[in-house]
Amino acid sequence: MKELVVISGKGGTGKTSVLASFASLAKKGRDRRLRRGHSRFASGPRAAAAREGFTAGSKARIKPGHCTACGKCEELCRFDAIYFDGPWQRQGVKDLPGGHDRLRGLRRLLRFLPENAIERAGRLRRVVCVRDALRTDWSMLSWAVGAENSGKLVTQLRRTAQQVAAEQRRDLILCDGSPGIGCPVIASLTGASLALFVVEPTASGEHDFLRVAQLTIQLGVPGILAVNKADLNEEVARDIEELARQRGIDLVGRIPYDPAVTEAQIARKTVVEASDGPAARAIRGLWTETRKYLDRSAPAAAGGLVPLAGQQQTQRT
Amino acid sequence: MKIAIASGKGGTGKTTLATSLARVAASDGRAVAYLDCDVEEPNGHLFLKPEILREEPIHKLIPVVDPARCTHCGLCSQTCRFGAIACVGEQTLIFSELCHSCGGCLLVCPEEAIREVAKPIGRLRIGMAGPLHFVEGVLNVGEAMSPPAIHAVKSAAPVAELTILDCPPGTSCPVIEGVRGCDLLLLVTEPTPFGLHDLKLAVEMARALRLKFGVVVNRADCGDREVWNYCRRQRIAILAEIPDDRAVAEAYSRGELAAEAVPHVAERIGGLLEAIRPGAHV
């Protein structure tokens, strides 16, 4: 089983449009494939076959009548999730609006508080939906991200995807990555077979591509490059292609600017379903090329946040 | 006044808006600070071209175990909510990328065998872009946790009449760290199904954090009218509309400021500044 991750560094460069098109092209082929991510807009039935819970962290609350306004909890919390309102307030301590997102790590600290006035008040839940679209020949996973712990959620999602793909004997997982280089990106790249960079030829596109390319090199994931809206600035496009070449990242396609991409999105279709214009033709070519690289790449491994190749920062005692 | 600029979806024009807003506001002679809180992929410097006067490392605290004192009781590992400490037999392993610096392990260790050391995770760059104060954070590649770096950027902000915070995309921890404590949140979106979907998530976040917010529609004449319908139903103010213009995209690709390269954008930004002046009803 192979896993392709589409990333970009910068947001809005066309990751989802490319990936959704790949999914519909793969559907037409004889392979049974699995995709996941944001691309649910493109097509497919919406019935939820299974739902899985995801716990992002726990909430805390101050028990009425127990607080003596000593201020200790505020002192111990390093996430500014609690503030001391002074002893003249009966409650003494308040949690800030949205502060629950910052109560991470507080749970165990609670037992250091003298009056036992703080208790756990349930969990922060985010729902992961696993949707199995039986009438089409691929499965789809999606999720509702609220606030917190997105790296953990990505890892859980990838494990589920790998399980489902193994059960249903699918041979490819298409994964829609996030912008940036932080924990959700690291979580989606670790152990993936191949990374496809979708980059736009702009000063910031280039800057962000270089940072995320460095990350894939650190993680030991091979990469290939597609330049989207390539005709926007030919000079920058050529710069990016040269910088990619120096890093061992092959150019596999150039997608021209095409209003059909936005039109397809409005019609809730993938670009290759909705049009036969220049962008759709380029994406078809890109898919053919990408498959060649996928055939040569390593099988997907279970992902996680920890194993940063070449960056062993663990301490042994 | 602190204005945070966020979007949910990436590539909708946060940096274009933030840099233009900062430049137009500063040209009125106001003291304006621009903070680039997108520490994973900071881009503001490409457009504002600041002169960097000072660079400082950004640190986070991570635990270190004293092997002479450690009795391998495993309490630190049980306490850690982030799986950053593992006790395997006679070894205590610390995974610093997973550590959230909560300090819980220090508190629980009965032998006081844990102390904290500062680990560099990025750089803070402080400078001036003409009359504009400029601060950006750059997270080291390979670091998973950006909120401490965003916190460092916000702590280094100079006192200014108007502070513009250019936030990362998404609705998870880095964005929450960026927008927390702002006086007004501008959500930049584009009138497409992706733009609307992520706008809804961003609105949910803004409401959960009880922030005052408004919407800016970029590339307003492409796509459909669903964003307007949604904002009307939800009673959300649309503070500005910026039309779709290839000239803006081309100026952007060269690293030029939209407000300087395209006159009608400057006009819209001026209108937006008027709409959000202190005391105006949003």
Side-chain angles (χ1 to χ4, degrees):
Chain A
M1 184 205 316
K2 306 287 173 75
E3 188 168 358
L4 173 71
V5 187
V6 182
I7 46 169
S8 63
K10 180 174 150 43
T13 59
K15 288 183 294 297
T16 304
S17 295
V18 167
L19 196 78
S21 293
F22 277 11
S24 63
L25 289 170
K27 190 172 71 164
K28 284 178 191 139
R30 63 189 159 76
D31 302 320
R32 295 165 68 79
R33 281 152 207 274
L34 181 82
R35 69 174 180 159
R36 70 170 179 84
H38 203 171
S39 32
R40 67 176 150 205
F41 287 97
S43 57
R46 291 203 139 215
R51 276 188 153 210
E52 262 181 49
F54 168 74
T55 308
S58 32
K59 281 186 191 174
R61 79 180 179 104
I62 294 156
K63 283 193 273 185
H66 284 65
C67 177
T68 57
C70 67
K72 184 84 174 166
C73 56
E74 188 200 28
E75 194 190 308
L76 286 179
C77 179
R78 291 185 176 174
F79 302 115
D80 297 336
I82 312 177
Y83 77 99
F84 186 47
D85 213 15
W88 53 85
Q89 292 276 348
R90 187 158 272 222
Q91 185 161 322
V93 181
K94 284 181 180 168
D95 48 348
L96 289 173
H100 286 314
D101 292 319
R102 312 189 109 203
L103 279 168
R104 314 178 290 193
L106 194 69
R107 197 178 93 193
R108 289 280 173 160
L109 301 189
L110 302 185
R111 61 198 194 99
F112 292 92
L113 299 173
E115 310 298 332
N116 245 332
I118 299 186
E119 63 180 4
R120 281 186 65 195
R123 293 161 162 182
L124 288 170
R125 282 186 85 80
R126 305 286 174 239
V127 176
V128 179
C129 301
V130 180
R131 278 188 263 151
D132 192 352
L134 290 172
R135 269 171 290 173
T136 61
D137 56 353
W138 76 86
S139 297
M140 211 152 80
L141 294 157
S142 186
W143 70 95
V145 178
E148 186 60 27
N149 241 338
S150 46
K152 189 176 160 191
L153 181 50
V154 170
T155 304
Q156 184 178 340
L157 196 59
R158 280 187 64 199
R159 290 205 179 120
T160 312
Q162 289 179 0
Q163 267 169 20
V164 173
E167 280 161 19
Q168 304 187 352
R169 295 195 191 146
R170 316 253 163 153
D171 54 21
L172 178 64
I173 296 172
L174 297 175
C175 169
D176 199 356
S178 324
I181 57 163
C183 56
V185 182
I186 294 174
S188 59
L189 278 171
T190 315
S193 312
L194 185 67
L196 170 64
F197 300 95
V198 178
V199 181
E200 57 173 43
T202 60
S204 40
E206 177 178 330
H207 172 271
D208 296 354
F209 161 66
L210 289 180
R211 281 169 66 79
V212 80
Q214 195 187 329
L215 181 67
T216 56
I217 292 165
Q218 278 182 17
L219 292 171
V221 178
I224 49 176
L225 170 74
V227 181
N228 194 11
K229 302 173 199 164
D231 49 341
L232 190 64
N233 190 327
E234 284 287 342
E235 201 184 317
V236 180
R238 276 193 299 275
D239 275 356
I240 291 173
E241 288 161 16
E242 175 57 27
L243 289 165
R245 205 183 52 76
Q246 290 165 6
R247 284 161 179 76
I249 297 166
D250 292 350
L251 176 72
V252 289
R254 287 180 136 209
I255 306 167
Y257 175 78
D258 187 349
V261 177
T262 305
E263 286 160 22
Q265 207 190 105
I266 303 282
R268 306 291 201 277
K269 282 186 173 160
T270 64
V271 182
V272 290
E273 281 170 347
S275 116
D276 200 26
R281 283 199 298 277
I283 292 174
R284 284 202 184 91
L286 183 63
W287 173 235
T288 316
E289 281 301 304
T290 304
R291 287 186 61 170
K292 290 182 196 160
Y293 282 87
L294 273 173
D295 290 340
R296 290 201 293 270
S297 65
L305 261 180
V306 180
L308 282 176
Q311 275 216 331
Q312 205 56 14
Q313 291 168 338
T314 54
Q315 183 210 3
R316 285 163 194 281
T317 58
Chain B
M1 186 179 188
K2 288 184 190 145
I3 300 178
I5 294 164
S7 70
K9 176 168 159 36
T12 53
K14 286 180 296 299
T15 300
T16 306
L17 180 71
T19 50
S20 294
L21 202 59
R23 180 61 62 83
V24 173
S27 66
D28 296 350
R30 284 202 266 178
V32 182
Y34 170 88
L35 312 184
D36 200 337
C37 294
D38 188 0
V39 299
E40 293 178 39
E41 302 286 14
N43 287 152
H45 67 98
L46 297 170
F47 302 93
L48 293 169
K49 302 180 178 71
E51 190 193 338
I52 300 298
L53 304 169
R54 206 146 54 85
E55 279 207 31
E56 288 169 19
I58 301 173
H59 293 105
K60 85 170 183 187
L61 292 173
I62 56 160
V64 175
V65 179
D66 178 358
R69 288 186 157 193
C70 180
T71 56
H72 317 290
C73 67
L75 265 177
C76 51
S77 159
Q78 286 164 30
T79 296
C80 185
R81 299 278 293 114
F82 310 103
I85 309 183
C87 294
V88 192
E90 297 280 284
Q91 283 190 327
T92 304
L93 305 174
I94 292 174
F95 303 101
S96 57
E97 309 79 30
L98 299 179
C99 176
H100 284 58
S101 314
C102 75
C105 48
L106 269 80
L107 282 172
V108 295
C109 183
E111 309 299 327
E112 295 185 1
I114 302 179
R115 65 191 171 88
E116 283 181 307
V117 292
K119 178 194 173 211
I121 56 162
R123 294 189 322 280
L124 201 59
R125 301 172 78 226
I126 302 165
M128 297 294 289
L132 192 66
H133 294 273
F134 176 93
V135 183
E136 78 170 358
V138 186
L139 187 73
N140 290 345
V141 175
E143 278 302 328
M145 236 74 76
S146 56
I150 297 169
H151 189 76
V153 171
K154 291 174 80 169
S155 309
V159 181
E161 217 176 306
L162 182 69
T163 304
I164 309 255
L165 298 112
D166 191 354
C167 294
T171 48
S172 64
C173 9
V175 190
I176 290 171
E177 184 66 49
V179 302
R180 188 179 297 275
C182 72
D183 301 306
L184 175 67
L185 173 63
L186 295 180
L187 298 174
V188 188
T189 190
E190 53 184 37
T192 60
F194 292 171
L196 178 61
H197 175 265
D198 294 357
L199 173 66
K200 286 177 182 168
L201 290 177
V203 166
E204 218 177 280
M205 175 194 76
R207 286 186 173 150
L209 297 173
R210 291 177 219 157
L211 293 171
K212 198 163 116 177
F213 67 97
V215 167
V216 174
V217 186
N218 195 11
R219 304 186 192 113
D221 42 5
C222 76
D224 55 18
R225 302 296 297 173
E226 286 304 311
V227 166
W228 284 269
N229 294 339
Y230 168 75
C231 289
R232 196 171 54 242
R233 277 200 308 275
Q234 295 282 323
R235 295 164 186 260
I236 297 167
I238 294 181
L239 299 170
E241 293 174 23
I242 300 167
D244 192 20
D245 187 344
R246 196 173 159 111
V248 178
E250 281 176 9
Y252 179 88
S253 79
R254 292 188 297 266
E256 288 168 17
L257 238 127
E260 280 174 358
V262 189
H264 70 79
V265 173
E267 239 169 74
R268 308 267 169 162
I269 300 285
L272 175 62
L273 272 172
E274 185 58 28
I276 59 179
R277 71 181 192 280
H281 179 72
V282 176

PDB file of all heavy atoms in Angstrom, chain A residues 231 256-266 271 275 277-279, chain B residues 222-223 244 246:
ATOM      1  N   ASP A 231       1.870  30.041 -15.418  1.00  0.00           N
ATOM      2  CA  ASP A 231       2.057  31.189 -16.304  1.00  0.00           C
ATOM      3  C   ASP A 231       1.925  32.533 -15.591  1.00  0.00           C
ATOM      4  O   ASP A 231       2.085  33.575 -16.211  1.00  0.00           O
ATOM      5  CB  ASP A 231       1.058  31.099 -17.472  1.00  0.00           C
ATOM      6  CG  ASP A 231      -0.359  30.833 -16.985  1.00  0.00           C
ATOM      7  OD1 ASP A 231      -0.511  30.369 -15.832  1.00  0.00           O
ATOM      8  OD2 ASP A 231      -1.314  31.094 -17.732  1.00  0.00           O
ATOM      9  N   PRO A 256      -1.410  25.312 -16.004  1.00  0.00           N
ATOM     10  CA  PRO A 256      -1.613  26.727 -16.308  1.00  0.00           C
ATOM     11  C   PRO A 256      -2.798  27.301 -15.523  1.00  0.00           C
ATOM     12  O   PRO A 256      -3.662  26.553 -15.061  1.00  0.00           O
ATOM     13  CB  PRO A 256      -1.916  26.728 -17.809  1.00  0.00           C
ATOM     14  CG  PRO A 256      -2.451  25.377 -18.091  1.00  0.00           C
ATOM     15  CD  PRO A 256      -1.842  24.441 -17.096  1.00  0.00           C
ATOM     16  N   TYR A 257      -2.820  28.632 -15.388  1.00  0.00           N
ATOM     17  CA  TYR A 257      -3.960  29.277 -14.748  1.00  0.00           C
ATOM     18  C   TYR A 257      -5.196  29.036 -15.618  1.00  0.00           C
ATOM     19  O   TYR A 257      -5.151  29.191 -16.837  1.00  0.00           O
ATOM     20  CB  TYR A 257      -3.720  30.778 -14.586  1.00  0.00           C
ATOM     21  CG  TYR A 257      -4.940  31.471 -14.035  1.00  0.00           C
ATOM     22  CD1 TYR A 257      -5.229  31.394 -12.678  1.00  0.00           C
ATOM     23  CD2 TYR A 257      -5.839  32.130 -14.878  1.00  0.00           C
ATOM     24  CE1 TYR A 257      -6.374  31.973 -12.173  1.00  0.00           C
ATOM     25  CE2 TYR A 257      -6.982  32.713 -14.366  1.00  0.00           C
ATOM     26  CZ  TYR A 257      -7.239  32.628 -13.011  1.00  0.00           C
ATOM     27  OH  TYR A 257      -8.383  33.181 -12.514  1.00  0.00           O
ATOM     28  N   ASP A 258      -6.305  28.636 -15.018  1.00  0.00           N
ATOM     29  CA  ASP A 258      -7.502  28.300 -15.782  1.00  0.00           C
ATOM     30  C   ASP A 258      -8.730  28.586 -14.917  1.00  0.00           C
ATOM     31  O   ASP A 258      -8.867  28.009 -13.837  1.00  0.00           O
ATOM     32  CB  ASP A 258      -7.428  26.800 -16.145  1.00  0.00           C
ATOM     33  CG  ASP A 258      -8.553  26.364 -17.086  1.00  0.00           C
ATOM     34  OD1 ASP A 258      -9.499  27.153 -17.280  1.00  0.00           O
ATOM     35  OD2 ASP A 258      -8.467  25.241 -17.605  1.00  0.00           O
ATOM     36  N   PRO A 259      -9.618  29.485 -15.364  1.00  0.00           N
ATOM     37  CA  PRO A 259     -10.820  29.784 -14.557  1.00  0.00           C
ATOM     38  C   PRO A 259     -11.700  28.552 -14.339  1.00  0.00           C
ATOM     39  O   PRO A 259     -12.522  28.537 -13.431  1.00  0.00           O
ATOM     40  CB  PRO A 259     -11.564  30.844 -15.369  1.00  0.00           C
ATOM     41  CG  PRO A 259     -10.702  31.219 -16.505  1.00  0.00           C
ATOM     42  CD  PRO A 259      -9.553  30.283 -16.595  1.00  0.00           C
ATOM     43  N   ALA A 260     -11.509  27.500 -15.155  1.00  0.00           N
ATOM     44  CA  ALA A 260     -12.307  26.280 -15.010  1.00  0.00           C
ATOM     45  C   ALA A 260     -12.115  25.638 -13.638  1.00  0.00           C
ATOM     46  O   ALA A 260     -12.989  24.909 -13.170  1.00  0.00           O
ATOM     47  CB  ALA A 260     -11.929  25.284 -16.110  1.00  0.00           C
ATOM     48  N   VAL A 261     -10.971  25.915 -12.982  1.00  0.00           N
ATOM     49  CA  VAL A 261     -10.709  25.316 -11.671  1.00  0.00           C
ATOM     50  C   VAL A 261     -11.721  25.842 -10.640  1.00  0.00           C
ATOM     51  O   VAL A 261     -12.335  25.070  -9.902  1.00  0.00           O
ATOM     52  CB  VAL A 261      -9.252  25.589 -11.224  1.00  0.00           C
ATOM     53  CG1 VAL A 261      -8.993  25.041  -9.828  1.00  0.00           C
ATOM     54  CG2 VAL A 261      -8.268  24.985 -12.215  1.00  0.00           C
ATOM     55  N   THR A 262     -11.908  27.171 -10.624  1.00  0.00           N
ATOM     56  CA  THR A 262     -12.888  27.756  -9.707  1.00  0.00           C
ATOM     57  C   THR A 262     -14.304  27.337 -10.091  1.00  0.00           C
ATOM     58  O   THR A 262     -15.123  27.016  -9.228  1.00  0.00           O
ATOM     59  CB  THR A 262     -12.770  29.295  -9.707  1.00  0.00           C
ATOM     60  OG1 THR A 262     -11.426  29.622  -9.402  1.00  0.00           O
ATOM     61  CG2 THR A 262     -13.669  29.929  -8.670  1.00  0.00           C
ATOM     62  N   GLU A 263     -14.592  27.315 -11.401  1.00  0.00           N
ATOM     63  CA  GLU A 263     -15.931  26.920 -11.859  1.00  0.00           C
ATOM     64  C   GLU A 263     -16.261  25.489 -11.418  1.00  0.00           C
ATOM     65  O   GLU A 263     -17.380  25.200 -10.992  1.00  0.00           O
ATOM     66  CB  GLU A 263     -16.030  27.039 -13.382  1.00  0.00           C
ATOM     67  CG  GLU A 263     -16.112  28.480 -13.859  1.00  0.00           C
ATOM     68  CD  GLU A 263     -15.732  28.625 -15.319  1.00  0.00           C
ATOM     69  OE1 GLU A 263     -15.797  27.628 -16.070  1.00  0.00           O
ATOM     70  OE2 GLU A 263     -15.362  29.753 -15.715  1.00  0.00           O
ATOM     71  N   ALA A 264     -15.273  24.599 -11.523  1.00  0.00           N
ATOM     72  CA  ALA A 264     -15.487  23.208 -11.112  1.00  0.00           C
ATOM     73  C   ALA A 264     -15.820  23.139  -9.623  1.00  0.00           C
ATOM     74  O   ALA A 264     -16.711  22.397  -9.204  1.00  0.00           O
ATOM     75  CB  ALA A 264     -14.237  22.378 -11.401  1.00  0.00           C
ATOM     76  N   GLN A 265     -15.106  23.981  -8.844  1.00  0.00           N
ATOM     77  CA  GLN A 265     -15.336  23.974  -7.398  1.00  0.00           C
ATOM     78  C   GLN A 265     -16.755  24.423  -7.064  1.00  0.00           C
ATOM     79  O   GLN A 265     -17.423  23.843  -6.215  1.00  0.00           O
ATOM     80  CB  GLN A 265     -14.320  24.909  -6.755  1.00  0.00           C
ATOM     81  CG  GLN A 265     -13.983  24.561  -5.336  1.00  0.00           C
ATOM     82  CD  GLN A 265     -13.176  25.656  -4.680  1.00  0.00           C
ATOM     83  OE1 GLN A 265     -13.691  26.407  -3.866  1.00  0.00           O
ATOM     84  NE2 GLN A 265     -11.914  25.759  -5.023  1.00  0.00           N
ATOM     85  N   ILE A 266     -17.212  25.465  -7.770  1.00  0.00           N
ATOM     86  CA  ILE A 266     -18.574  25.967  -7.561  1.00  0.00           C
ATOM     87  C   ILE A 266     -19.578  24.873  -7.898  1.00  0.00           C
ATOM     88  O   ILE A 266     -20.595  24.699  -7.222  1.00  0.00           O
ATOM     89  CB  ILE A 266     -18.838  27.206  -8.452  1.00  0.00           C
ATOM     90  CG1 ILE A 266     -17.812  28.289  -8.175  1.00  0.00           C
ATOM     91  CG2 ILE A 266     -20.268  27.713  -8.304  1.00  0.00           C
ATOM     92  CD1 ILE A 266     -18.001  29.093  -6.956  1.00  0.00           C
ATOM     93  N   VAL A 271     -11.835  19.048 -11.129  1.00  0.00           N
ATOM     94  CA  VAL A 271     -11.469  19.768 -12.353  1.00  0.00           C
ATOM     95  C   VAL A 271     -11.548  18.835 -13.563  1.00  0.00           C
ATOM     96  O   VAL A 271     -12.065  19.219 -14.611  1.00  0.00           O
ATOM     97  CB  VAL A 271     -10.044  20.358 -12.218  1.00  0.00           C
ATOM     98  CG1 VAL A 271      -9.658  21.143 -13.456  1.00  0.00           C
ATOM     99  CG2 VAL A 271      -9.938  21.234 -10.989  1.00  0.00           C
ATOM    100  N   SER A 275     -14.228  19.730 -16.643  1.00  0.00           N
ATOM    101  CA  SER A 275     -13.719  20.460 -17.803  1.00  0.00           C
ATOM    102  C   SER A 275     -12.711  19.612 -18.568  1.00  0.00           C
ATOM    103  O   SER A 275     -12.217  18.596 -18.076  1.00  0.00           O
ATOM    104  CB  SER A 275     -13.077  21.786 -17.338  1.00  0.00           C
ATOM    105  OG  SER A 275     -11.704  21.821 -17.599  1.00  0.00           O
ATOM    106  N   GLY A 277     -10.342  21.518 -20.238  1.00  0.00           N
ATOM    107  CA  GLY A 277      -9.507  22.674 -20.581  1.00  0.00           C
ATOM    108  C   GLY A 277      -8.037  22.414 -20.277  1.00  0.00           C
ATOM    109  O   GLY A 277      -7.646  21.300 -19.950  1.00  0.00           O
ATOM    110  N   PRO A 278      -7.237  23.497 -20.360  1.00  0.00           N
ATOM    111  CA  PRO A 278      -5.796  23.346 -20.159  1.00  0.00           C
ATOM    112  C   PRO A 278      -5.422  22.793 -18.779  1.00  0.00           C
ATOM    113  O   PRO A 278      -4.523  21.945 -18.687  1.00  0.00           O
ATOM    114  CB  PRO A 278      -5.250  24.767 -20.362  1.00  0.00           C
ATOM    115  CG  PRO A 278      -6.414  25.662 -20.517  1.00  0.00           C
ATOM    116  CD  PRO A 278      -7.615  24.842 -20.792  1.00  0.00           C
ATOM    117  N   ALA A 279      -6.120  23.242 -17.723  1.00  0.00           N
ATOM    118  CA  ALA A 279      -5.766  22.765 -16.377  1.00  0.00           C
ATOM    119  C   ALA A 279      -6.076  21.281 -16.249  1.00  0.00           C
ATOM    120  O   ALA A 279      -5.277  20.507 -15.723  1.00  0.00           O
ATOM    121  CB  ALA A 279      -6.515  23.561 -15.317  1.00  0.00           C
TER     122      ALA A 279
ATOM    123  N   CYS B 222     -15.171  36.596  -8.272  1.00  0.00           N
ATOM    124  CA  CYS B 222     -15.141  35.233  -8.805  1.00  0.00           C
ATOM    125  C   CYS B 222     -16.068  34.384  -7.936  1.00  0.00           C
ATOM    126  O   CYS B 222     -16.565  34.839  -6.921  1.00  0.00           O
ATOM    127  CB  CYS B 222     -13.717  34.658  -8.781  1.00  0.00           C
ATOM    128  SG  CYS B 222     -13.146  34.130  -7.168  1.00  0.00           S
ATOM    129  N   GLY B 223     -16.359  33.179  -8.328  1.00  0.00           N
ATOM    130  CA  GLY B 223     -17.141  32.296  -7.470  1.00  0.00           C
ATOM    131  C   GLY B 223     -18.624  32.600  -7.422  1.00  0.00           C
ATOM    132  O   GLY B 223     -19.189  33.154  -8.363  1.00  0.00           O
ATOM    133  N   ASP B 244     -11.377  40.626  -7.829  1.00  0.00           N
ATOM    134  CA  ASP B 244     -10.388  39.725  -8.427  1.00  0.00           C
ATOM    135  C   ASP B 244      -9.671  40.485  -9.540  1.00  0.00           C
ATOM    136  O   ASP B 244     -10.307  41.077 -10.398  1.00  0.00           O
ATOM    137  CB  ASP B 244     -11.133  38.508  -9.002  1.00  0.00           C
ATOM    138  CG  ASP B 244     -10.176  37.396  -9.380  1.00  0.00           C
ATOM    139  OD1 ASP B 244      -9.049  37.391  -8.868  1.00  0.00           O
ATOM    140  OD2 ASP B 244     -10.577  36.535 -10.176  1.00  0.00           O
ATOM    141  N   ARG B 246      -6.006  40.226 -11.948  1.00  0.00           N
ATOM    142  CA  ARG B 246      -4.746  39.551 -12.240  1.00  0.00           C
ATOM    143  C   ARG B 246      -3.544  40.431 -11.892  1.00  0.00           C
ATOM    144  O   ARG B 246      -2.477  39.927 -11.524  1.00  0.00           O
ATOM    145  CB  ARG B 246      -4.696  39.131 -13.720  1.00  0.00           C
ATOM    146  CG  ARG B 246      -3.611  38.098 -13.953  1.00  0.00           C
ATOM    147  CD  ARG B 246      -3.629  37.537 -15.349  1.00  0.00           C
ATOM    148  NE  ARG B 246      -2.328  36.964 -15.635  1.00  0.00           N
ATOM    149  CZ  ARG B 246      -2.101  35.663 -15.783  1.00  0.00           C
ATOM    150  NH1 ARG B 246      -3.098  34.811 -15.707  1.00  0.00           N
ATOM    151  NH2 ARG B 246      -0.890  35.219 -16.025  1.00  0.00           N
TER     152      ARG B 246
END
